[in-house]
Amino acid sequence: MNDKPSQPEEKKRAPSAIGQEIKDALEAREASQKAPTRPRQQGRAAERGQSTAIESQVEATISGAEILASSAQEFRDSLQTIRGALELLLTGKVPDARQAKQFLGIAYRETETLSSRVSDLQVASLIEVGRLRLKPTLLRMDQLLTAGVEQIAPAAADKSVTVEAKSLVDLPEIHGDEALLRIAIANTLQAAIKSASSKGSVTVSAAEREAWIVMRFSVNDEAELLNDAPASDVGGDMSLLANRGLAIYVAEKILQAHSGRFWVEGTSDKIASLNLALPLVSKPHGRGKILVVDDNPQAAILVEYALQEEGYEAIKALNGLEGLEIAKSEKVDLVILDVLLPGIDGFEVCHRLRSDPEMATIPVIMVSAKARDEDRATAMRIGADAYFAKPLGISELMEAIQNLLEGGKHHQWREAHGNAGQQ
């Protein structure tokens, strides 16, 4: 008699939401092919569109799954290294002080790697919901690259890989988001180190090529220094990097957000280099037209310069009536309004802007030496989006402008930050 208990019937796993959507779409497509009343040409067009959508969804799902799987592996690898080092130290198996210090250094650098991946997840989440916003400033890419090499060198040494920088002089300045570009450089360096062989090397070079700054991360000296490369090298292939992972995905997206490019050179079994290219532009354009109404010419000139450096078009007015005329004729995107003006003051200007249907939705930032609570309350009551007391930092003003203009969400920003602007 067989007393072995019978195995329970395996419970079938429910399909994922995306899988169910694809299944439904395929069934709908099959049903549409059988429908006799659909016009033939229209039916084929719909089928082609539906098929393309299904293929794109499957491709996106696979790509996302691969990135998540790779990221999970990275987290596990770092945590395993940290756990191993700490376990040896805590159990007293490393009596040598120098050896113990080395293990602590390895664990510390792995925590930095984990911190980088968490930053990548934060950036990726902004990318996925379309909320990645750049805060561009003038940057020296040679300084960013040199800092990146210095920061990554200890972690590279743990993996017996040397990292050095060459030809990083006399690079022109660019406009870019420093924090995001630091992430892109760090992620690219980490990928290059992973691609290098034991006791191998990564060499970082950069040069101006026509309208680009091109940066090359050469692996094991497989690629020549960038100074010898033609300008037509801007472009490239990502298929050579079999395991892209979250870090490279984020680096790609950051470069794309800067109108730049990311690509890999090499053969099917050997990576020669990872490459980044950023466009050379004097400053970003088309960010908006801003009216500065201030009877202090010196103050207006400073604000005008700062706006132009950030890519905005600036127009000045020295009194309230002139400001109203310009606001209407020039169709400005935002008004920076001083309160103490000759003739009609800033409060009256703001009131008239809000009373005119053509100008009622223009964001208004009021700036004044008046710091009393009642003045701030008056400004917000008549429709100002932000109220700042002098002296006001240029960076604080630029942040307010950017938040008010992005996506036309100045009313939501006012509700969330209006009070902060009154400090």
Side-chain angles (χ1 to χ4, degrees):
M1 181 176 178
N2 188 2
D3 295 327
K4 185 177 181 180
S6 60
Q7 296 294 328
E9 184 179 350
E10 183 179 358
K11 187 178 181 180
K12 294 183 179 179
R13 294 174 60 192
S16 66
I18 292 178
Q20 185 62 51
E21 290 172 9
I22 296 173
K23 180 175 179 290
D24 293 343
L26 287 169
E27 291 175 351
R29 180 185 175 191
E30 183 179 355
S32 67
Q33 290 175 333
K34 296 177 180 179
T37 57
R38 174 177 289 192
R40 186 174 183 181
Q41 187 174 6
Q42 180 184 353
R44 287 180 176 176
E47 289 162 12
R48 282 196 301 271
Q50 196 171 54
S51 177
T52 302
I54 293 169
E55 290 168 2
S56 299
Q57 195 171 30
V58 171
E59 183 179 353
T61 303
I62 293 172
S63 175
E66 290 174 345
I67 288 172
L68 288 174
S70 173
S71 301
Q73 186 62 47
E74 285 186 275
F75 274 85
R76 290 193 188 98
D77 289 344
S78 291
L79 288 171
Q80 179 63 39
T81 301
I82 294 169
R83 179 175 179 174
L86 294 180
E87 185 175 341
L88 288 171
L89 293 167
L90 288 171
T91 55
K93 295 181 179 180
V94 191
D96 183 72
R98 293 179 61 184
Q99 187 75 67
K101 185 176 180 180
Q102 180 185 5
F103 287 172
L104 281 174
I106 291 173
Y108 176 76
R109 286 187 284 277
E110 288 298 330
T111 64
E112 290 185 317
T113 298
L114 287 176
S115 178
S116 297
R117 296 294 78 80
V118 171
S119 296
D120 289 336
L121 288 171
Q122 291 172 331
V123 175
S125 66
L126 293 175
I127 292 169
E128 289 302 311
V129 297
R131 293 182 60 190
L132 184 66
R133 298 289 183 266
L134 304 185
K135 295 183 179 180
T137 58
L138 273 177
L139 299 175
R140 290 279 302 275
M141 290 308 300
D142 51 353
Q143 294 178 354
L144 287 186
L145 289 167
T146 301
V149 168
E150 292 174 352
Q151 185 175 356
I152 202 71
D158 291 341
K159 297 174 172 59
S160 300
V161 176
T162 60
V163 182
E164 61 178 335
K166 292 184 178 180
S167 304
L168 298 183
V169 294
D170 300 325
L171 295 178
E173 293 180 322
I174 68 162
H175 265 81
D177 188 305
E178 181 175 354
L180 291 177
L181 287 176
R182 283 184 182 275
I183 291 173
I185 290 170
N187 289 2
T188 306
L189 277 168
Q190 289 168 6
I193 291 168
K194 281 187 177 181
S195 301
S197 59
S198 178
K199 298 185 180 179
S201 65
V202 172
T203 304
V204 182
S205 59
E208 180 180 354
R209 285 289 174 265
E210 297 176 353
W212 300 84
I213 286 183
V214 184
M215 295 155 277
R216 173 165 291 168
F217 299 71
S218 175
V219 179
N220 297 333
D221 297 324
E222 293 289 342
E224 296 178 354
L225 288 179
L226 195 60
N227 287 336
D228 300 323
S232 59
D233 271 4
V234 175
D237 183 14
M238 288 301 298
S239 63
L240 300 176
L241 201 61
N243 189 5
R244 289 161 68 178
L246 177 66
I248 293 301
Y249 168 79
V250 167
E252 283 184 86
K253 294 299 184 180
I254 289 174
L255 267 291
Q256 290 172 11
H258 285 82
S259 300
R261 302 176 188 176
F262 187 116
W263 74 98
V264 181
E265 294 174 344
T267 61
S268 58
D269 61 345
K270 185 183 294 184
I271 300 298
S273 66
L274 290 86
N275 306 271
L276 283 65
L278 289 167
L280 287 176
V281 290
S282 58
K283 54 193 169 189
H285 295 287
R287 299 190 70 186
K289 185 185 294 185
I290 297 179
L291 171 63
V292 182
V293 186
D294 196 326
D295 63 332
N296 184 334
Q298 288 75 26
I301 288 172
L302 292 175
V303 174
E304 178 187 32
Y305 177 83
L307 289 170
Q308 290 173 345
E309 282 300 299
E310 292 296 325
Y312 298 105
E313 180 182 349
I315 308 173
K316 299 193 299 292
L318 295 177
N319 60 66
L321 290 175
E322 182 185 6
L324 286 169
E325 292 175 2
I326 293 175
K328 191 162 189 174
S329 62
E330 294 290 337
K331 299 187 183 309
V332 300
D333 298 295
L334 183 142
V335 176
I336 301 173
L337 181 61
D338 192 25
V339 172
L340 299 177
L341 295 170
I344 61 172
D345 64 13
F347 293 132
E348 179 63 23
V349 173
C350 184
H351 173 71
R352 294 191 188 186
L353 287 170
R354 291 291 176 255
S355 301
D356 189 320
E358 294 183 17
M359 300 184 289
T361 60
I362 299 175
V364 176
I365 297 175
M366 300 194 74
V367 182
S368 176
K370 292 185 173 184
R372 298 180 306 174
D373 291 341
E374 52 265 38
D375 293 319
R376 296 172 183 144
T378 298
M380 304 308 289
R381 186 177 65 252
I382 62 178
D385 293 277
Y387 185 99
F388 292 99
K390 296 179 181 179
L392 170 66
I394 292 294
S395 60
E396 189 178 4
L397 178 61
M398 293 300 124
E399 182 181 2
I401 292 169
Q402 182 178 354
N403 282 303
L404 286 168
L405 287 182
E406 281 184 358
K409 297 180 179 179
H410 64 275
H411 293 300
Q412 295 94 316
W413 188 90
R414 176 190 176 190
E415 291 175 2
H417 298 82
N419 292 333
Q422 299 174 32
Q423 301 302 318

